[in-house]
Amino acid sequence: MDMKIVVLGAGAVGLTIAAKLSRVADVHAVARKRHADAVRERGLLMTGIWGEGAYRFSCSEDLPDAWLDADYYIITAKSTDTEAVCRQFAGAIRGREVVSLQNGIGNEEIIGRFTDRVIGGMIITGFEWRGDASVHVSVEAAPMKLGRFPSGMDDAVGRLADLIGEAGIRVEATGGIRSDLWSKTLYNCALNPLGAVTNVPYGALTDPHAWAIVTAIVREAYQVVEAEGVTLPWETAEAYLEYLRTTQLPATATHHSSMLQDLTLGRRTEIDFLNGAVADLGRRHGIDVPYNTCITELIHFREQL
Ligand SMILES: NC(=O)C1=CN([C@@H]2O[C@H](COP(=O)(O)OP(=O)(O)OC[C@H]3O[C@@H](n4cnc5c(N)ncnc54)[C@H](OP(=O)(O)O)[C@@H]3O)[C@@H](O)[C@H]2O)C=CC1
Ligand SMILES: CC(C)(CO)C(=O)C(=O)O
């Protein structure tokens, strides 16, 4: 019997993941009406590095009863909507395997208030809207990571990773997902708000003036990660900055951060789950976090303009 997967809050990331998974599993995506209508009429249109095509799968604004026994519920709404999505589908996700495939720090903790089976996910691939239910997959810096939150490995994580791999997506299961979530958060904290306030793609941030700010943001965040007891693959902030500049940045140099896209569309950003979370935790640990505090305030100011 095929595995049953439900994607909740399916937008650029969620509809594309649903499309790929629909080739190897039974999939239902909960999306906004205009996307759901388009998926039903002509399928999700995908272009870019994950291949081209029209993918048909079950998609609606609600969660039909037939999907209340899904094996996995994957949340791909913006972090700002995690709480609302969990509340809306609380009856369905209680006691179920729920995966967060979102950016930032705090989503898994929110989901953990609604189910005791939380899987953390980290994805470092670019998904851009090209129209209703039409997504371009632009860049990819590393395989997706999946792991039991806050730590550990088990069969449920392994089975999901195998399925996602079968669907043709690069993925690795890990026993230390918090490390991956923080690694991605460092990347987003370093690049997203600065790219958003200056209206440039990531690649432009290697300019020495911009890089000085990136460096300060990362150094503060590094102290916070250490205080949180999370071990990252790089021993020091400087080692991470070198990896960011020479490996991660070139792979995504042309990308305009999702935060810039949010500001352009007049939407709330995920800043409180990125630099805002770093600033909050820093204050709790007694660490000075002026750069993360400043860039968080700046983004909140821009959100209102
Ligand atoms: N885009 C990217 O390249 C990447 C994004 N990410 C992360 O993945 C997450 C998702 O990003 P992305 O896909 O770009 O975001 P999108 O805004 O494209 O997708 C989220 C979708 O969920 C919808 N939604 C929210 N609540 C509900 C609900 N209750 N019922 C139905 N639909 C709902 C939103 O609708 P509405 O807008 O109307 O509220 C939106 O269409 C974020 O955390 C992001 O940071 C991670 C890696 C890459
Ligand atoms: C660069 C990218 C697309 C990588 O996942 C990202 O995280 C973002 O724009 O916020």
Side-chain angles (χ1 to χ4, degrees):
M1 203 177 64
D2 276 353
M3 260 205 256
K4 278 175 97 168
I5 311 281
V6 166
V7 181
L8 297 172
V13 174
L15 288 173
T16 314
I17 298 284
K20 294 292 274 187
L21 282 175
S22 68
R23 297 280 157 96
V24 294
D26 285 338
V27 174
H28 177 80
V30 177
R32 294 303 187 202
K33 186 175 184 314
R34 61 183 195 283
H35 301 303
D37 288 347
V39 170
R40 279 197 304 269
E41 276 158 28
R42 44 89 166 139
L44 179 281
L45 304 183
M46 191 191 306
T47 55
I49 59 173
W50 279 11
E52 317 242 322
Y55 294 73
R56 285 173 184 275
F57 48 89
S58 171
C59 188
S60 63
E61 279 179 287
D62 57 356
L63 185 61
D65 287 351
W67 295 91
L68 293 177
D69 61 348
D71 296 289
Y72 298 90
Y73 293 83
I74 304 178
I75 299 186
T76 60
K78 293 281 192 183
S79 306
T80 42
D81 290 326
T82 306
E83 172 102 34
V85 167
C86 286
R87 281 185 192 286
Q88 185 178 345
F89 300 104
I93 66 176
R94 187 172 302 118
R96 296 279 175 174
E97 293 289 354
V98 181
V99 186
S100 164
L101 212 50
Q102 303 162 283
N103 278 343
I105 297 300
N107 291 298
E108 288 77 10
E109 287 84 351
I110 294 172
I111 296 168
R113 303 208 307 268
F114 294 83
T115 179
D116 55 356
R117 287 148 75 177
V118 184
I119 296 175
M122 189 285 280
I123 181 161
I124 193 156
T125 307
F127 303 86
E128 293 170 9
W129 286 112
R130 288 292 152 88
D132 289 344
S134 176
V135 179
H136 181 72
V137 185
S138 56
V139 291
E140 185 162 82
M144 180 194 294
K145 294 280 178 66
L146 292 173
R148 178 63 60 198
F149 188 84
S151 65
M153 248 302 245
D154 49 51
D155 287 351
V157 173
R159 275 197 301 275
L160 182 62
D162 287 348
L163 186 76
I164 290 177
E166 268 173 52
I169 298 171
R170 291 197 299 145
V171 60
E172 289 170 8
T174 169
I177 192 66
R178 281 185 84 210
S179 173
D180 295 289
L181 293 173
W182 269 108
S183 299
K184 174 80 193 288
T185 299
L186 278 186
Y187 168 89
N188 287 131
C189 286
L191 306 179
N192 285 24
L194 196 55
V197 287
T198 55
N199 198 353
V200 296
Y202 286 162
L205 298 176
T206 51
D207 167 86
H209 298 292
W211 195 250
I213 300 172
V214 168
T215 300
I217 288 173
V218 168
R219 284 185 184 150
E220 289 175 11
Y222 230 80
Q223 292 180 60
V224 171
V225 180
E226 277 173 7
E228 283 285 289
V230 174
T231 306
L232 295 174
W234 312 274
E235 254 179 44
T236 60
E238 312 317 309
Y240 171 66
L241 283 161
E242 186 58 13
Y243 177 74
L244 175 64
R245 197 178 57 79
T246 58
T247 305
Q248 284 182 314
L249 242 170
T252 52
T254 56
H255 183 71
H256 286 90
S257 79
S258 50
M259 198 171 283
L260 175 57
Q261 297 170 42
D262 287 341
L263 287 180
T264 309
L265 294 169
R267 291 159 45 142
R268 276 173 77 198
T269 71
E270 296 180 300
I271 192 73
D272 287 337
F273 290 78
L274 300 173
N275 307 72
V278 169
D280 265 0
L281 289 167
R283 281 188 286 272
R284 271 189 241 167
H285 288 296
I287 297 164
D288 282 342
V289 282
Y291 278 85
N292 282 281
T293 304
C294 176
I295 201 91
T296 302
E297 296 300 339
L298 210 48
I299 292 294
H300 280 316
F301 175 56
R302 277 293 315 273
E303 283 174 335
Q304 297 164 38
L305 295 179

